[in-house]
Amino acid sequence: MRSPSIGRRTLPAYPVLLLVAALAAGCGSPTGRADRWQEPSPISTAAQPADPASPAPPTVSPPSPARTDVKRVFPVRAGNVDYHPTHGGYPGTDLFADCGEPVVAVTDGVVLEVSRVDRFDKRGPLGPDNGGLSVSLLGDDGVRYYGSHLSAITADVDAGVRVRAGQQLGKVGRTGNANNVCHLHFGLSPKCTGADDWWIRRGVVWPAPYLNSWRKGGNRSPVAEVTAWQRKHGCPAAPGRSTHSG
């Protein structure tokens, strides 16, 4: 098998005061619910912490509209990293590096989902648990950045936590269906809401051209391509034919 933008007439004071009072009485703070992507107990999302007894993580949302001035960095902080421009079955990139090398946030954003337990079993089901230990990040640019097969996740990295470009999220590993090979599976996608969407999270556009840029200190943006993909495909409710890679 190897993240869009927001003649005058004086009124008597008494009606204005009534209007202000009515508005104050009718306002409420909206609530939202982040989508789950695996079973809840060992996994935390922005809506559900991993431990029900612990306080929920801060629910920080990225700026709206999405920023266009974000900085991006290469996702593995190591000198000896190799990867291929293609990937079996669907768009994604496997970055091969020694186990334990730091995996970092590509850009500023908010952690969407964290899986700290490796549930992969080759006997099935194939797909939802392929990534093993993994983290997804919604960048301030609106793109979701996903990394999996980690050997460890940094202690304070939890759903809802804000991170900066270059901040360590975890370490390269071989959990999930990594076939005992140390590497980071890296995917780019839009953030879809509703049902578990691991088939989107794992990657929908080819990351290699962007990785090539970031590795050389460039800042090539995947926003246009990810946005175009979503306009064309929406948020598919089921995976495609290939479900065996992650």
Side-chain angles (χ1 to χ4, degrees):
M1 75 137 285
R2 247 299 211 214
S3 10
S5 359
I6 285 189
R8 183 173 177 181
R9 187 173 61 182
T10 303
L11 296 175
Y14 182 68
V16 171
L17 291 174
L18 287 178
L19 176 60
V20 170
L23 289 172
C27 289
S29 58
T31 59
R33 179 176 179 179
D35 49 316
R36 296 182 184 275
W37 60 288
Q38 290 180 225
E39 295 178 12
S41 55
I43 299 167
S44 59
T45 69
Q48 175 67 50
D51 181 0
S54 63
T59 54
V60 184
S61 298
S64 179
R67 287 171 50 194
T68 59
D69 61 341
V70 300
K71 172 187 176 182
R72 300 175 185 87
V73 300
F74 196 73
V76 179
R77 193 168 62 223
N80 186 20
V81 182
D82 192 17
Y83 56 93
H84 303 293
T86 58
H87 181 279
Y90 63 92
T93 297
D94 291 335
L95 293 88
F96 300 96
D98 292 338
C99 280
E101 295 286 13
V103 173
V104 302
V106 170
T107 191
D108 296 355
V110 176
V111 177
L112 281 176
E113 304 133 332
V114 176
S115 174
R116 296 182 180 274
V117 175
D118 185 3
R119 287 197 187 85
F120 176 72
D121 186 336
K122 62 183 179 181
R123 295 169 297 183
L126 297 176
D129 299 324
N130 285 359
L133 275 62
S134 58
V135 177
S136 74
L137 167 70
L138 180 61
D140 286 353
D141 56 4
V143 173
R144 176 169 51 182
Y145 299 85
Y146 171 68
S148 64
H149 305 315
L150 305 177
S151 61
I153 295 172
T154 303
D156 58 352
V157 172
D158 291 300
V161 169
R162 183 160 185 81
V163 295
R164 293 290 186 182
Q167 180 175 334
Q168 186 166 348
L169 303 179
K171 297 179 180 181
V172 172
R174 51 191 178 190
T175 57
N177 66 339
N179 293 325
N180 206 34
V181 177
C182 297
H183 71 282
L184 173 74
H185 173 83
F186 182 72
L188 300 170
S189 67
K191 179 188 180 297
C192 287
T193 58
D196 175 2
D197 66 342
W198 57 265
W199 52 90
I200 303 172
R201 183 187 308 106
R202 65 188 182 179
V204 299
V205 302
W206 294 107
Y210 307 102
L211 292 167
N212 293 340
S213 170
W214 306 336
R215 192 173 199 175
K216 297 176 181 177
N219 197 32
R220 184 169 178 175
S221 171
V223 171
E225 190 175 6
V226 169
T227 300
W229 184 92
Q230 188 172 24
R231 286 174 178 166
K232 181 177 180 179
H233 300 280
C235 289
R241 288 177 294 177
S242 175
T243 62
H244 301 284
S245 302

mmCIF file of all heavy atoms in Angstrom, residues 209-236:
data_model
loop_
_atom_site.group_PDB
_atom_site.id
_atom_site.type_symbol
_atom_site.label_atom_id
_atom_site.label_comp_id
_atom_site.label_asym_id
_atom_site.label_seq_id
_atom_site.Cartn_x
_atom_site.Cartn_y
_atom_site.Cartn_z
ATOM 1 N N PRO A 209 2.709 16.965 -6.092
ATOM 2 C CA PRO A 209 3.145 18.286 -6.563
ATOM 3 C C PRO A 209 3.265 19.310 -5.438
ATOM 4 O O PRO A 209 4.146 20.179 -5.476
ATOM 5 C CB PRO A 209 2.041 18.689 -7.548
ATOM 6 C CG PRO A 209 1.433 17.405 -7.996
ATOM 7 C CD PRO A 209 1.497 16.509 -6.800
ATOM 8 N N TYR A 210 2.415 19.207 -4.433
ATOM 9 C CA TYR A 210 2.456 20.126 -3.304
ATOM 10 C C TYR A 210 3.615 19.773 -2.367
ATOM 11 O O TYR A 210 4.335 20.655 -1.885
ATOM 12 C CB TYR A 210 1.117 20.103 -2.568
ATOM 13 C CG TYR A 210 -0.022 20.356 -3.525
ATOM 14 C CD1 TYR A 210 -0.826 19.310 -3.987
ATOM 15 C CD2 TYR A 210 -0.259 21.630 -4.040
ATOM 16 C CE1 TYR A 210 -1.839 19.535 -4.908
ATOM 17 C CE2 TYR A 210 -1.275 21.864 -4.955
ATOM 18 C CZ TYR A 210 -2.054 20.807 -5.381
ATOM 19 O OH TYR A 210 -3.056 21.032 -6.300
ATOM 20 N N LEU A 211 3.810 18.483 -2.137
ATOM 21 C CA LEU A 211 4.937 18.047 -1.318
ATOM 22 C C LEU A 211 6.259 18.493 -1.935
ATOM 23 O O LEU A 211 7.182 18.910 -1.218
ATOM 24 C CB LEU A 211 4.911 16.528 -1.167
ATOM 25 C CG LEU A 211 3.762 15.955 -0.336
ATOM 26 C CD1 LEU A 211 3.668 14.441 -0.532
ATOM 27 C CD2 LEU A 211 3.942 16.279 1.144
ATOM 28 N N ASN A 212 6.369 18.388 -3.250
ATOM 29 C CA ASN A 212 7.593 18.816 -3.932
ATOM 30 C C ASN A 212 7.891 20.284 -3.636
ATOM 31 O O ASN A 212 9.038 20.670 -3.401
ATOM 32 C CB ASN A 212 7.467 18.617 -5.442
ATOM 33 C CG ASN A 212 7.388 17.154 -5.838
ATOM 34 O OD1 ASN A 212 7.783 16.272 -5.081
ATOM 35 N ND2 ASN A 212 6.882 16.883 -7.026
ATOM 36 N N SER A 213 6.842 21.107 -3.651
ATOM 37 C CA SER A 213 7.000 22.534 -3.384
ATOM 38 C C SER A 213 7.392 22.779 -1.930
ATOM 39 O O SER A 213 8.361 23.500 -1.638
ATOM 40 C CB SER A 213 5.701 23.276 -3.712
ATOM 41 O OG SER A 213 5.733 24.616 -3.266
ATOM 42 N N TRP A 214 6.659 22.191 -1.002
ATOM 43 C CA TRP A 214 6.907 22.431 0.428
ATOM 44 C C TRP A 214 8.287 21.947 0.837
ATOM 45 O O TRP A 214 8.945 22.562 1.663
ATOM 46 C CB TRP A 214 5.844 21.741 1.269
ATOM 47 C CG TRP A 214 4.444 22.114 0.894
ATOM 48 C CD1 TRP A 214 4.025 23.263 0.260
ATOM 49 C CD2 TRP A 214 3.264 21.335 1.113
ATOM 50 N NE1 TRP A 214 2.667 23.241 0.064
ATOM 51 C CE2 TRP A 214 2.170 22.074 0.581
ATOM 52 C CE3 TRP A 214 3.010 20.095 1.698
ATOM 53 C CZ2 TRP A 214 0.856 21.603 0.625
ATOM 54 C CZ3 TRP A 214 1.708 19.622 1.742
ATOM 55 C CH2 TRP A 214 0.645 20.376 1.218
ATOM 56 N N ARG A 215 8.722 20.867 0.234
ATOM 57 C CA ARG A 215 10.035 20.323 0.583
ATOM 58 C C ARG A 215 11.156 21.294 0.224
ATOM 59 O O ARG A 215 12.195 21.339 0.877
ATOM 60 C CB ARG A 215 10.250 18.993 -0.133
ATOM 61 C CG ARG A 215 11.448 18.198 0.367
ATOM 62 C CD ARG A 215 11.488 16.834 -0.266
ATOM 63 N NE ARG A 215 12.332 15.930 0.495
ATOM 64 C CZ ARG A 215 12.468 14.655 0.213
ATOM 65 N NH1 ARG A 215 11.813 14.111 -0.809
ATOM 66 N NH2 ARG A 215 13.260 13.885 0.941
ATOM 67 N N LYS A 216 10.933 22.095 -0.813
ATOM 68 C CA LYS A 216 11.936 23.069 -1.253
ATOM 69 C C LYS A 216 11.724 24.443 -0.644
ATOM 70 O O LYS A 216 12.364 25.407 -1.048
ATOM 71 C CB LYS A 216 11.897 23.177 -2.781
ATOM 72 C CG LYS A 216 12.263 21.880 -3.496
ATOM 73 C CD LYS A 216 12.103 22.021 -4.998
ATOM 74 C CE LYS A 216 12.437 20.721 -5.722
ATOM 75 N NZ LYS A 216 12.217 20.849 -7.192
ATOM 76 N N GLY A 217 10.809 24.542 0.329
ATOM 77 C CA GLY A 217 10.543 25.812 0.970
ATOM 78 C C GLY A 217 9.481 26.639 0.278
ATOM 79 O O GLY A 217 9.238 27.787 0.643
ATOM 80 N N GLY A 218 8.811 26.065 -0.725
ATOM 81 C CA GLY A 218 7.727 26.749 -1.432
ATOM 82 C C GLY A 218 6.425 26.683 -0.650
ATOM 83 O O GLY A 218 6.356 26.093 0.432
ATOM 84 N N ASN A 219 5.393 27.257 -1.241
ATOM 85 C CA ASN A 219 4.110 27.339 -0.538
ATOM 86 C C ASN A 219 2.944 27.064 -1.489
ATOM 87 O O ASN A 219 1.889 27.679 -1.394
ATOM 88 C CB ASN A 219 3.955 28.720 0.101
ATOM 89 C CG ASN A 219 2.877 28.745 1.181
ATOM 90 O OD1 ASN A 219 2.653 27.753 1.872
ATOM 91 N ND2 ASN A 219 2.206 29.884 1.324
ATOM 92 N N ARG A 220 3.136 26.104 -2.385
ATOM 93 C CA ARG A 220 2.076 25.797 -3.344
ATOM 94 C C ARG A 220 0.805 25.376 -2.628
ATOM 95 O O ARG A 220 0.828 24.549 -1.707
ATOM 96 C CB ARG A 220 2.531 24.688 -4.296
ATOM 97 C CG ARG A 220 1.525 24.376 -5.403
ATOM 98 C CD ARG A 220 2.121 23.476 -6.456
ATOM 99 N NE ARG A 220 1.152 23.130 -7.484
ATOM 100 C CZ ARG A 220 1.428 22.434 -8.581
ATOM 101 N NH1 ARG A 220 2.673 22.004 -8.794
ATOM 102 N NH2 ARG A 220 0.493 22.155 -9.461
ATOM 103 N N SER A 221 -0.328 25.931 -3.065
ATOM 104 C CA SER A 221 -1.597 25.713 -2.372
ATOM 105 C C SER A 221 -2.460 24.654 -3.050
ATOM 106 O O SER A 221 -2.680 24.717 -4.262
ATOM 107 C CB SER A 221 -2.389 27.026 -2.315
ATOM 108 O OG SER A 221 -3.700 26.789 -1.833
ATOM 109 N N PRO A 222 -2.997 23.694 -2.274
ATOM 110 C CA PRO A 222 -3.907 22.701 -2.837
ATOM 111 C C PRO A 222 -5.366 23.147 -2.823
ATOM 112 O O PRO A 222 -6.254 22.380 -3.196
ATOM 113 C CB PRO A 222 -3.713 21.500 -1.905
ATOM 114 C CG PRO A 222 -3.418 22.121 -0.579
ATOM 115 C CD PRO A 222 -2.649 23.389 -0.862
ATOM 116 N N VAL A 223 -5.635 24.375 -2.386
ATOM 117 C CA VAL A 223 -7.015 24.827 -2.198
ATOM 118 C C VAL A 223 -7.831 24.724 -3.479
ATOM 119 O O VAL A 223 -8.953 24.191 -3.486
ATOM 120 C CB VAL A 223 -7.055 26.275 -1.652
ATOM 121 C CG1 VAL A 223 -8.486 26.810 -1.668
ATOM 122 C CG2 VAL A 223 -6.482 26.321 -0.246
ATOM 123 N N ALA A 224 -7.310 25.250 -4.588
ATOM 124 C CA ALA A 224 -8.084 25.272 -5.836
ATOM 125 C C ALA A 224 -8.442 23.868 -6.301
ATOM 126 O O ALA A 224 -9.584 23.606 -6.704
ATOM 127 C CB ALA A 224 -7.300 26.007 -6.924
ATOM 128 N N GLU A 225 -7.486 22.950 -6.219
ATOM 129 C CA GLU A 225 -7.749 21.591 -6.694
ATOM 130 C C GLU A 225 -8.722 20.854 -5.789
ATOM 131 O O GLU A 225 -9.627 20.149 -6.267
ATOM 132 C CB GLU A 225 -6.443 20.812 -6.805
ATOM 133 C CG GLU A 225 -6.619 19.478 -7.510
ATOM 134 C CD GLU A 225 -5.332 18.726 -7.740
ATOM 135 O OE1 GLU A 225 -4.274 19.182 -7.248
ATOM 136 O OE2 GLU A 225 -5.381 17.667 -8.403
ATOM 137 N N VAL A 226 -8.569 21.014 -4.471
ATOM 138 C CA VAL A 226 -9.493 20.359 -3.536
ATOM 139 C C VAL A 226 -10.898 20.934 -3.688
ATOM 140 O O VAL A 226 -11.894 20.191 -3.687
ATOM 141 C CB VAL A 226 -8.988 20.517 -2.088
ATOM 142 C CG1 VAL A 226 -10.056 20.080 -1.090
ATOM 143 C CG2 VAL A 226 -7.709 19.715 -1.878
ATOM 144 N N THR A 227 -10.999 22.257 -3.847
ATOM 145 C CA THR A 227 -12.302 22.899 -4.030
ATOM 146 C C THR A 227 -12.971 22.433 -5.313
ATOM 147 O O THR A 227 -14.181 22.142 -5.342
ATOM 148 C CB THR A 227 -12.147 24.426 -4.047
ATOM 149 O OG1 THR A 227 -11.572 24.857 -2.806
ATOM 150 C CG2 THR A 227 -13.492 25.106 -4.244
ATOM 151 N N ALA A 228 -12.188 22.334 -6.393
ATOM 152 C CA ALA A 228 -12.733 21.866 -7.672
ATOM 153 C C ALA A 228 -13.229 20.429 -7.560
ATOM 154 O O ALA A 228 -14.284 20.077 -8.114
ATOM 155 C CB ALA A 228 -11.677 21.982 -8.759
ATOM 156 N N TRP A 229 -12.474 19.596 -6.847
ATOM 157 C CA TRP A 229 -12.905 18.208 -6.663
ATOM 158 C C TRP A 229 -14.243 18.153 -5.948
ATOM 159 O O TRP A 229 -15.143 17.393 -6.334
ATOM 160 C CB TRP A 229 -11.855 17.434 -5.869
ATOM 161 C CG TRP A 229 -12.186 15.971 -5.722
ATOM 162 C CD1 TRP A 229 -11.801 14.956 -6.536
ATOM 163 C CD2 TRP A 229 -13.021 15.378 -4.713
ATOM 164 N NE1 TRP A 229 -12.332 13.757 -6.090
ATOM 165 C CE2 TRP A 229 -13.087 13.992 -4.973
ATOM 166 C CE3 TRP A 229 -13.710 15.883 -3.609
ATOM 167 C CZ2 TRP A 229 -13.807 13.105 -4.180
ATOM 168 C CZ3 TRP A 229 -14.440 15.009 -2.812
ATOM 169 C CH2 TRP A 229 -14.488 13.636 -3.099
ATOM 170 N N GLN A 230 -14.396 18.944 -4.886
ATOM 171 C CA GLN A 230 -15.648 18.900 -4.124
ATOM 172 C C GLN A 230 -16.814 19.439 -4.934
ATOM 173 O O GLN A 230 -17.942 18.934 -4.830
ATOM 174 C CB GLN A 230 -15.507 19.667 -2.816
ATOM 175 C CG GLN A 230 -16.725 19.486 -1.904
ATOM 176 C CD GLN A 230 -16.522 20.076 -0.532
ATOM 177 O OE1 GLN A 230 -15.708 20.981 -0.353
ATOM 178 N NE2 GLN A 230 -17.251 19.558 0.445
ATOM 179 N N ARG A 231 -16.589 20.457 -5.745
ATOM 180 C CA ARG A 231 -17.666 20.973 -6.598
ATOM 181 C C ARG A 231 -18.149 19.912 -7.581
ATOM 182 O O ARG A 231 -19.332 19.837 -7.900
ATOM 183 C CB ARG A 231 -17.183 22.206 -7.364
ATOM 184 C CG ARG A 231 -17.077 23.455 -6.496
ATOM 185 C CD ARG A 231 -16.472 24.607 -7.262
ATOM 186 N NE ARG A 231 -16.404 25.821 -6.455
ATOM 187 C CZ ARG A 231 -15.698 26.893 -6.775
ATOM 188 N NH1 ARG A 231 -14.978 26.901 -7.899
ATOM 189 N NH2 ARG A 231 -15.685 27.947 -5.992
ATOM 190 N N LYS A 232 -17.226 19.095 -8.026
ATOM 191 C CA LYS A 232 -17.576 18.055 -8.997
ATOM 192 C C LYS A 232 -18.197 16.827 -8.343
ATOM 193 O O LYS A 232 -19.172 16.258 -8.845
ATOM 194 C CB LYS A 232 -16.326 17.637 -9.774
ATOM 195 C CG LYS A 232 -16.592 16.566 -10.828
ATOM 196 C CD LYS A 232 -15.323 16.250 -11.608
ATOM 197 C CE LYS A 232 -15.579 15.179 -12.669
ATOM 198 N NZ LYS A 232 -14.346 14.880 -13.441
ATOM 199 N N HIS A 233 -17.655 16.420 -7.185
ATOM 200 C CA HIS A 233 -18.064 15.155 -6.576
ATOM 201 C C HIS A 233 -18.940 15.308 -5.338
ATOM 202 O O HIS A 233 -19.568 14.327 -4.921
ATOM 203 C CB HIS A 233 -16.817 14.347 -6.196
ATOM 204 C CG HIS A 233 -15.930 14.015 -7.342
ATOM 205 N ND1 HIS A 233 -16.169 12.977 -8.211
ATOM 206 C CD2 HIS A 233 -14.782 14.619 -7.789
ATOM 207 C CE1 HIS A 233 -15.225 12.920 -9.127
ATOM 208 N NE2 HIS A 233 -14.364 13.903 -8.897
ATOM 209 N N GLY A 234 -18.962 16.505 -4.750
ATOM 210 C CA GLY A 234 -19.684 16.663 -3.495
ATOM 211 C C GLY A 234 -18.988 15.887 -2.388
ATOM 212 O O GLY A 234 -17.767 15.865 -2.295
ATOM 213 N N CYS A 235 -19.763 15.213 -1.546
ATOM 214 C CA CYS A 235 -19.238 14.353 -0.489
ATOM 215 C C CYS A 235 -19.817 12.960 -0.682
ATOM 216 O O CYS A 235 -20.895 12.649 -0.153
ATOM 217 C CB CYS A 235 -19.606 14.900 0.882
ATOM 218 S SG CYS A 235 -18.725 16.405 1.340
ATOM 219 N N PRO A 236 -19.145 12.100 -1.460
ATOM 220 C CA PRO A 236 -19.679 10.761 -1.730
ATOM 221 C C PRO A 236 -20.013 10.015 -0.446
ATOM 222 O O PRO A 236 -19.262 10.040 0.527
ATOM 223 C CB PRO A 236 -18.533 10.080 -2.489
ATOM 224 C CG PRO A 236 -17.787 11.218 -3.124
ATOM 225 C CD PRO A 236 -17.869 12.342 -2.138
#
